[in-house]
């Protein structure tokens, strides 16, 4: 609990300052803050409460996109990393392309994906998967390649096949790396969902933000942003719990002689 | 009396399907082997033999190529020159199939329990987890690890981890055991205890053993025969018979006068080999 206290205090302090700046007329006037452009935190809280049904409906849509897109990226990223790990040729051929693919601005190709895949959930999944794929693949590959080289040799003297070495030693060793990559991916997955929805959607929190912006309902925009952040944090938290549960051996334990 | 290869003093006990008594198939023959890593020659025309059921020790200065020699025998490396045969077979896969190799570090997998670590060999050969554990369980009882089957390696002491690593090597079910400095990482007291433990464990097994150490006393206590190696590139500079039968109490053995005499000869050979 003590770990969460400092960030919580900072958040409370910042929100307090913001509230004061937006609500005290003389500060708002001095900074030329228009209430309809910069809602006070209390307005955002009101919007969160009053629009709760609207936010919940759209959040559900976005959560589905994020979870499915993230799962797609995790499965493909893991499989791709294993393939690159097993084949030198594949790794030499595809690793530079993998890096290059990260330089493609996803927001620019999102509209093209909508043209190709339509207005359904398809393009959103692809966009989310594209943003999540890279951190998962690169981290998993790093994990697979950083296995203590003596371990596969030992496994060979214990009659292990290549597949058994992969399953018993390399994948477990890479698991903490995979989860680190997945945590990074979890945080950016929500950004991918917003890009996807901006490029063509009739529901979801990204769509809600676009509509609310058009109507200058800034408090609702902020409320949607808060919900998006909470989704990302929840996914991150779930992965942290998973990490503690299945990759507990990474924290350096004191080795007692 | 020294026991001979043909007539093991102890009843050969079986661990995992090796119910044949040791025969010619368990012999290690190293003939004129040389090996280099790039320009660095580590082994120079080395001859070495391990008879069936025999325990042979290799001593030499640090970095003299002892570990490389074990890897050559195990089939993890191919020699640049000469021949290595195990059970009459020279091909690397055949050597791998006959040798169980215990590396210097215990290399226990931290995510597996002690018993699952020990049972990796049977698991790799297709045994179910339950069957592999059933094969390992009696050894845990017999070799002083009873009650620690489900412990994680991080919960075990250094000596216990080393025992689990040795059981893993035994359960590999190979006729030849290659032990690379099995106790180098342990403190002196644990080390002495483990030497006694290992002597008993080897005596209970019908295996040929080739073990490497930089500790003359350790190999003289544990082995039938000790080969002294020169500094890199390793050559055999002396060969000594151990003064006492194996698997006797350690203190009594190492305090005996004939033990001291052989130890001095071995140390002299080490020093002279270094010149």
């Amino acid at each position: 609990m003590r770990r969460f206290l400092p960030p919580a205090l900072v958040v409370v302090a910042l929100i307090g300052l913001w509230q004061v700046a937006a609500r005290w007329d003389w500060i708002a006037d001095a900074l030329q803050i228009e209430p309809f452009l910069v809602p006070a935190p209390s307005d955002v809280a009101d919007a969160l409460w009053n629009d709760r049904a609207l936010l919940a409906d759209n959040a559900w849509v976005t959560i589905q996109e994020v979870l499915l897109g993230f799962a797609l990226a995790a499965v493909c990223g893991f499989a791709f990393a294993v393939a690159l790990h097993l084949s030198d040729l594949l790794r030499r051929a595809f690793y530079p392309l993998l890096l290059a693919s990260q330089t493609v601005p996803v927001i620019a190709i999102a509209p093209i994906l909508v043209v190709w895949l339509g207005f359904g959930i398809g393009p959103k999944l692809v966009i989310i998967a594209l943003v999540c794929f890279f951190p998962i693949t690169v981290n998993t590959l790093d994990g697979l390649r950083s296995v203590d080289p003596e371990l596969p040799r030992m496994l060979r003297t214990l009659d292990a096949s290549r597949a058994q070495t992969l399953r018993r030693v390399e994948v477990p060793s890479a698991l903490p790396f995979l989860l680190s990559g997945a945590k990074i991916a979890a945080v950016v997955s929500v950004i991918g969902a917003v890009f996807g929805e901006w490029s063509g959607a009739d529901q979801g929190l990204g769509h809600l933000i676009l509509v609310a912006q058009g109507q200058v309902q800034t408090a609702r925009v902020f409320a949607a942003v808060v919900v998006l952040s909470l989704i990302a944090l929840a996914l991150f938290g779930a992965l942290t719990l998973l990490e503690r549960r299945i990759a507990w051996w990474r924290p350096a334990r004191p080795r007692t002689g | 009396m020294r026991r001979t290869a043909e007539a093991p003093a102890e009843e050969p006990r079986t661990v995992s399907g090796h119910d044949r008594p040791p025969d010619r198939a368990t012999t290690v023959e190293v003939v004129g082997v040389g090996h280099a890593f790039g320009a660095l020659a580590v082994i120079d025309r080395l001859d070495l033999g391990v008879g069936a059921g025999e325990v042979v020790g290799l001593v030499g200065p640090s970095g003299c190529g002892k570990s490389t020699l074990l890897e050559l025998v195990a089939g993890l490396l191919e020699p640049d020159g000469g021949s290595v045969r195990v059970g009459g077979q020279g091909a690397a896969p055949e050597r791998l199939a006959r040798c169980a190799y215990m590396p210097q570090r215990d290399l226990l997998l931290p995510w597996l329990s002690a018993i699952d670590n020990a049972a990796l060999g049977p698991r790799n050969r297709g045994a179910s987890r339950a069957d592999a554990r059933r094969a390992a369980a009696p050894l845990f009882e017999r070799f002083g690890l009873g009650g620690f089957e489900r412990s994680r390696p991080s919960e075990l002491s250094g000596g216990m981890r080393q025992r689990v690593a040795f059981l893993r090597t035994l359960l590999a079910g190979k006729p030849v055991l290659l032990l690379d400095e099995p106790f180098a990482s342990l403190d002196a007291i644990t080390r002495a205890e483990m030497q006694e433990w290992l002597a008993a464990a080897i005596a209970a097994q019908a295996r040929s053993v080739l073990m490497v150490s930089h500790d003359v006393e350790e190999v003289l206590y544990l082995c039938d025969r000790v080969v002294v190696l020169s500094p890199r590139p390793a050559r055999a500079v002396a060969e000594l018979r151990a003064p006492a039968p194996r698997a006797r109490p350690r203190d009594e053995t190492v305090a005996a006068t004939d033990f001291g005499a052989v130890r001095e000869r071995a140390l002299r050979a080490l020093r002279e080999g270094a010149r």
Side-chain angles (χ1 to χ4, degrees), chain A residues 89-173:
Chain A
L89 184 68
L90 281 183
R91 188 170 57 252
R92 283 205 306 273
F94 279 100
Y95 198 76
L97 294 185
L98 183 66
L99 290 176
S101 77
Q102 270 310 285
T103 63
V104 174
V106 172
I107 193 161
I109 62 163
I112 305 170
L113 287 170
V114 172
V115 173
W116 289 348
L117 299 172
F119 286 88
I121 197 172
K124 286 89 173 176
L125 294 193
V126 172
I127 290 161
I128 295 167
L130 279 176
V131 235
C132 296
F133 181 74
F134 185 77
I136 292 177
T137 309
V138 169
N139 274 286
T140 308
L141 190 58
D142 279 352
L144 289 169
R145 290 173 68 71
S146 64
V147 171
D148 183 340
E150 278 198 67
L151 287 175
R153 284 156 52 86
M154 178 202 73
L155 265 268
R156 271 178 70 204
T157 69
L158 297 174
D159 302 312
S161 65
R162 187 72 192 81
Q164 286 172 329
T165 303
L166 185 70
R167 191 173 74 223
R168 297 205 208 287
V169 167
E170 290 169 322
V171 169
S173 300

Side-chain angles (χ1 to χ4, degrees), chain B residues 158-182:
Chain B
M160 293 177 100
R161 278 206 300 269
Q162 225 49 36
R163 288 181 205 207
V164 175
F166 181 73
L167 293 194
R168 181 184 62 200
T169 315
L170 281 185
L171 283 160
K174 314 287 180 73
V176 177
L177 302 182
L178 306 171
L179 312 178
D180 190 357
E181 305 246 12

Side-chain angles (χ1 to χ4, degrees), chain A residues 35-96:
Chain A
F36 71 92
L37 287 179
V38 183
S42 55
D43 298 334
V44 177
D46 281 345
L48 275 170
W49 179 250
N50 296 329
D51 297 341
R52 59 188 182 278
L54 184 72
L55 286 166
D57 287 348
N58 287 291
W60 176 233
V61 173
T62 303
I63 287 170
Q64 288 176 16
E65 292 166 359
V66 165
L67 289 181
L68 287 173
F70 178 81
L72 185 68
V75 171
C76 295
F78 177 74
F80 194 50
V82 169
L84 295 197
H85 174 63
L86 291 179
S87 163
D88 268 342
L89 184 68
L90 281 183
R91 188 170 57 252
R92 283 205 306 273
F94 279 100
Y95 198 76

